[in-house]
Amino acid sequence: FMASNPTRYSALRLTQLLDAQGRRLDWFADQLGKKVRNRPFDPSYVTKLRNGDKPITDEIAHASAAILQVPVDWLAEPLELREAVLA
């Protein structure tokens, strides 16, 4: 029996989106911090998100998607999609 898991978000996908859009780390840290806590994050926090050292929470995922103007699903772990197809 598999319990329903909350969506897991992918550090790799976040990194790919930032790179594909040519976004600077300091710009994204500033935007993300303002959206989530009303003050900028230090760029080292975003580096930790990108490296997988910090989890990408629902709040961070939704804020990131809004900033990057993509559906939040784009940040989801690919494994979740495969599990849904196999279920």
Side-chain angles (χ1 to χ4, degrees):
F1 172 75
M2 218 178 182
S4 63
N5 292 341
T7 302
R8 291 189 346 205
Y9 299 100
S10 167
L12 175 60
R13 289 208 172 187
L14 176 61
T15 298
Q16 289 170 335
L17 275 169
L18 291 169
D19 291 348
Q21 293 187 7
R23 303 294 188 177
R24 288 172 37 134
L25 201 62
D26 57 344
W27 174 86
F28 185 69
D30 182 66
Q31 297 297 309
L32 185 62
K34 286 178 182 173
K35 195 158 196 68
V36 171
R37 61 180 197 165
N38 297 320
R39 64 184 192 278
F41 278 126
D42 188 275
S44 66
Y45 178 77
V46 175
T47 297
K48 290 175 183 172
L49 290 173
R50 288 177 59 148
N51 293 343
D53 296 332
K54 290 270 186 197
I56 299 174
T57 62
D58 281 340
E59 182 181 31
I60 294 293
H62 284 271
S64 298
I67 292 163
L68 299 173
Q69 300 180 338
V70 298
V72 73
D73 294 351
W74 286 20
L75 294 169
E77 286 279 355
L79 180 59
E80 299 297 318
L81 178 61
R82 286 199 299 273
E83 286 177 356
V85 170
L86 295 175

